[in-house]
Amino acid sequence: MVVNRDDQPHILLCDLDAFFASVEQRDNPRFQGKPVIVGGDPDARGVVSTCSYEAREHGVRSAMPMRRALKLCPEAIVLPVDMHRYKAASRHVLEIYERFTPDIEPVSIDEAYLAVRDGYETAKKIRRAVREELSLPLTIGVSANKLLAKIACKLAKPDNEKDIWPEEVPAMIWPLPVSILPGVGPATGRKLRQNGIITVGDLASASLSALENILGHKAALMLKDYANGCDDRKLVLSHTPKTLSEEITFPQDVYDREYMLVTLLELAEELGYRLRLRGFFARNISLKLRFADFKTITRTVTLPKPTDSDGEIFAYARDLFIRYCGRPPWRLLGIRVSALDEGSQLSLIPDHEKERRITQTLDRLREKFGRKIVFKAKRLVQKKEQ
Ligand code: TTP
Ligand code: MG
């Protein structure tokens, strides 16, 4: 592992693998290990949005006409785009990133740059969390800048992490074709090749004036820098989270109301912790509940004043549970906090009587079940899924 030099953060480029297709394979186990293509209708001149790596082995690619894709891979399973599910997965992944750093630049539905300490170690932890909580493959490139993080990610795909550091550029990047660099699309690649510039190393050793003649001043400067592994683009940190959530799918259906409440408490504690970590206060609290027949409900309450307290989150979530819990058994329980404010001090004024009642309930539940029962249950689920 490379230790931070000059105390600069490391940059991660996190990019989910075959994103839409991976969500489909995850949710339909019979599609796993098979060529899956997600995209428009072949009879209506649809194009491929993406495809699983199994389909890529047949030459299928994003943006290819679906008809051509099916000629290359007739046995492929073709599915329509279901953006709603992909967006939900994307939001959850972003939330996982937020646990590791506030410095996030989302680039697309499945791609984001993160600035972190200890890039390689953090990359491993993020990949583990995404695999355990979402069962989705993710690749992370790690480096000192955006350019090298992006290239590391491309080279590592799929389902892996890789770091590349500036001193490794001559050995690792120079032998690669120029198309590995961002900004070198088919047209630029062709122009460069026509002038005998095939590899990144050729680009690095070409004179600036020669490159200017081929590409113009601006592109020549940028690509010359890129060829040497230099990139001073900063992260655009426009991102602030809109919601945070925690949920658990039980390994077995649950019949015991009190077990549900102690689980709710631990979810509330985790959310309270995550709110306080980022200095946020939540105005809305939602309860998510799934019943044995898979019916799922979400119920939301708006608080009179925003909170970051575990006890208050628990109290409101518990009230929702008591109102809407219906009949057991339950399969899934979750809490989401939203309408997040930064820096409200209002909730620091305690409501003593309420706090006291909550604490009594909590203590009784803890006595009955012990602490960290949820996280034990979570680990059980994860083991089952692996
Ligand atoms: P990408 O990250 O470019 O592709 P990918 O995640 O499918 O595969 P990988 O990263 O492993 O190479 O795009 C993310 C999603 O965006 C992709 O799953 C589908 C969608 N998309 C389109 O709808 N049309 C396109 O042309 C591209 C490139 C992507
Ligand atoms: Mg991707």
Short mmCIF file of all heavy atoms in Angstrom, two decimals, residues 16 19 23 26 83-94 109 134 136:
data_model
loop_
_atom_site.label_atom_id
_atom_site.label_comp_id
_atom_site.label_asym_id
_atom_site.label_seq_id
_atom_site.Cartn_x
_atom_site.Cartn_y
_atom_site.Cartn_z
N LEU A 16 -19.38 0.98 -11.15
CA LEU A 16 -20.02 -0.34 -11.06
C LEU A 16 -19.85 -1.08 -12.39
O LEU A 16 -19.81 -0.47 -13.45
CB LEU A 16 -21.50 -0.16 -10.73
CG LEU A 16 -21.72 0.34 -9.30
CD1 LEU A 16 -22.94 1.23 -9.21
CD2 LEU A 16 -21.81 -0.81 -8.32
N PHE A 19 -23.41 -2.13 -15.11
CA PHE A 19 -24.32 -1.76 -14.02
C PHE A 19 -25.75 -2.26 -14.20
O PHE A 19 -26.25 -3.04 -13.38
CB PHE A 19 -24.29 -0.24 -13.81
CG PHE A 19 -25.21 0.25 -12.75
CD1 PHE A 19 -25.33 -0.43 -11.55
CD2 PHE A 19 -25.97 1.40 -12.93
CE1 PHE A 19 -26.18 0.02 -10.55
CE2 PHE A 19 -26.81 1.86 -11.94
CZ PHE A 19 -26.93 1.16 -10.75
N VAL A 23 -27.59 -5.41 -12.02
CA VAL A 23 -28.80 -5.32 -11.19
C VAL A 23 -29.79 -6.41 -11.62
O VAL A 23 -30.38 -7.10 -10.79
CB VAL A 23 -29.45 -3.91 -11.30
CG1 VAL A 23 -30.81 -3.88 -10.60
CG2 VAL A 23 -28.53 -2.85 -10.73
N ARG A 26 -28.53 -9.78 -10.47
CA ARG A 26 -28.69 -9.91 -9.02
C ARG A 26 -30.13 -10.25 -8.67
O ARG A 26 -30.40 -11.11 -7.83
CB ARG A 26 -28.29 -8.60 -8.34
CG ARG A 26 -28.51 -8.61 -6.86
CD ARG A 26 -28.47 -7.22 -6.28
NE ARG A 26 -29.61 -6.42 -6.71
CZ ARG A 26 -29.80 -5.15 -6.37
NH1 ARG A 26 -28.90 -4.53 -5.62
NH2 ARG A 26 -30.86 -4.49 -6.77
N MET A 83 -35.24 1.86 -15.13
CA MET A 83 -34.44 2.91 -14.51
C MET A 83 -34.72 3.06 -13.01
O MET A 83 -33.83 3.38 -12.24
CB MET A 83 -34.73 4.22 -15.24
CG MET A 83 -33.63 5.20 -15.21
SD MET A 83 -32.04 4.45 -15.50
CE MET A 83 -31.51 5.32 -16.88
N HIS A 84 -35.96 2.83 -12.63
CA HIS A 84 -36.34 3.01 -11.24
C HIS A 84 -35.45 2.17 -10.31
O HIS A 84 -34.92 2.66 -9.32
CB HIS A 84 -37.81 2.61 -11.10
CG HIS A 84 -38.38 2.95 -9.77
ND1 HIS A 84 -38.65 4.24 -9.40
CD2 HIS A 84 -38.69 2.16 -8.71
CE1 HIS A 84 -39.12 4.23 -8.17
NE2 HIS A 84 -39.14 2.99 -7.73
N ARG A 85 -35.28 0.90 -10.69
CA ARG A 85 -34.46 0.01 -9.85
C ARG A 85 -32.99 0.41 -9.90
O ARG A 85 -32.28 0.34 -8.90
CB ARG A 85 -34.65 -1.45 -10.29
CG ARG A 85 -35.73 -2.13 -9.48
CD ARG A 85 -36.29 -3.33 -10.20
NE ARG A 85 -35.32 -4.37 -10.44
CZ ARG A 85 -35.03 -4.85 -11.66
NH1 ARG A 85 -35.59 -4.36 -12.74
NH2 ARG A 85 -34.17 -5.82 -11.79
N TYR A 86 -32.52 0.83 -11.07
CA TYR A 86 -31.10 1.19 -11.16
C TYR A 86 -30.82 2.45 -10.33
O TYR A 86 -29.78 2.58 -9.69
CB TYR A 86 -30.67 1.43 -12.61
CG TYR A 86 -31.13 0.36 -13.58
CD1 TYR A 86 -31.47 0.69 -14.89
CD2 TYR A 86 -31.23 -0.97 -13.19
CE1 TYR A 86 -31.89 -0.28 -15.79
CE2 TYR A 86 -31.66 -1.94 -14.08
CZ TYR A 86 -32.00 -1.59 -15.37
OH TYR A 86 -32.43 -2.55 -16.25
N LYS A 87 -31.81 3.38 -10.36
CA LYS A 87 -31.61 4.60 -9.58
C LYS A 87 -31.57 4.31 -8.08
O LYS A 87 -30.79 4.91 -7.34
CB LYS A 87 -32.71 5.62 -9.89
CG LYS A 87 -32.44 6.36 -11.17
CD LYS A 87 -33.31 7.59 -11.30
CE LYS A 87 -32.94 8.35 -12.55
NZ LYS A 87 -34.05 9.14 -13.07
N ALA A 88 -32.42 3.39 -7.65
CA ALA A 88 -32.44 3.03 -6.23
C ALA A 88 -31.08 2.44 -5.83
O ALA A 88 -30.50 2.80 -4.80
CB ALA A 88 -33.56 2.03 -5.95
N ALA A 89 -30.54 1.57 -6.69
CA ALA A 89 -29.24 0.97 -6.39
C ALA A 89 -28.16 2.06 -6.39
O ALA A 89 -27.28 2.09 -5.52
CB ALA A 89 -28.90 -0.10 -7.42
N SER A 90 -28.25 2.98 -7.33
CA SER A 90 -27.27 4.04 -7.43
C SER A 90 -27.26 4.91 -6.18
O SER A 90 -26.21 5.28 -5.64
CB SER A 90 -27.60 4.88 -8.67
OG SER A 90 -26.78 6.00 -8.75
N ARG A 91 -28.47 5.23 -5.69
CA ARG A 91 -28.57 6.04 -4.47
C ARG A 91 -27.94 5.31 -3.28
O ARG A 91 -27.24 5.89 -2.46
CB ARG A 91 -30.04 6.34 -4.16
CG ARG A 91 -30.57 7.57 -4.87
CD ARG A 91 -31.86 8.03 -4.23
NE ARG A 91 -32.89 7.01 -4.29
CZ ARG A 91 -33.73 6.85 -5.32
NH1 ARG A 91 -33.65 7.66 -6.35
NH2 ARG A 91 -34.65 5.91 -5.31
N HIS A 92 -28.21 4.02 -3.20
CA HIS A 92 -27.68 3.24 -2.07
C HIS A 92 -26.15 3.19 -2.13
O HIS A 92 -25.48 3.31 -1.11
CB HIS A 92 -28.29 1.84 -2.09
CG HIS A 92 -28.06 1.07 -0.84
ND1 HIS A 92 -28.98 0.20 -0.31
CD2 HIS A 92 -27.00 1.02 0.01
CE1 HIS A 92 -28.49 -0.34 0.79
NE2 HIS A 92 -27.28 0.13 1.01
N VAL A 93 -25.62 3.03 -3.33
CA VAL A 93 -24.16 2.98 -3.47
C VAL A 93 -23.56 4.32 -3.02
O VAL A 93 -22.57 4.35 -2.27
CB VAL A 93 -23.76 2.69 -4.93
CG1 VAL A 93 -22.26 2.83 -5.13
CG2 VAL A 93 -24.19 1.28 -5.32
N LEU A 94 -24.20 5.40 -3.43
CA LEU A 94 -23.72 6.73 -3.04
C LEU A 94 -23.73 6.89 -1.52
O LEU A 94 -22.81 7.46 -0.93
CB LEU A 94 -24.62 7.78 -3.69
CG LEU A 94 -24.02 9.13 -4.02
CD1 LEU A 94 -22.74 9.01 -4.82
CD2 LEU A 94 -25.04 9.97 -4.80
N ILE A 109 -24.66 7.76 -13.31
CA ILE A 109 -25.50 6.92 -12.45
C ILE A 109 -24.68 5.84 -11.73
O ILE A 109 -25.05 5.40 -10.65
CB ILE A 109 -26.66 6.30 -13.27
CG1 ILE A 109 -27.66 5.60 -12.36
CG2 ILE A 109 -26.14 5.33 -14.33
CD1 ILE A 109 -28.98 5.29 -13.01
N LEU A 134 -25.40 -4.78 -1.29
CA LEU A 134 -26.15 -4.65 -2.55
C LEU A 134 -25.91 -5.80 -3.51
O LEU A 134 -26.57 -5.87 -4.55
CB LEU A 134 -25.72 -3.35 -3.24
CG LEU A 134 -26.39 -2.11 -2.68
CD1 LEU A 134 -25.53 -0.89 -2.92
CD2 LEU A 134 -27.72 -1.91 -3.35
N LEU A 136 -23.60 -6.18 -5.61
CA LEU A 136 -23.24 -5.67 -6.94
C LEU A 136 -21.73 -5.59 -7.08
O LEU A 136 -21.04 -5.19 -6.13
CB LEU A 136 -23.84 -4.28 -7.16
CG LEU A 136 -25.35 -4.22 -7.37
CD1 LEU A 136 -25.82 -2.78 -7.45
CD2 LEU A 136 -25.77 -4.99 -8.62
#
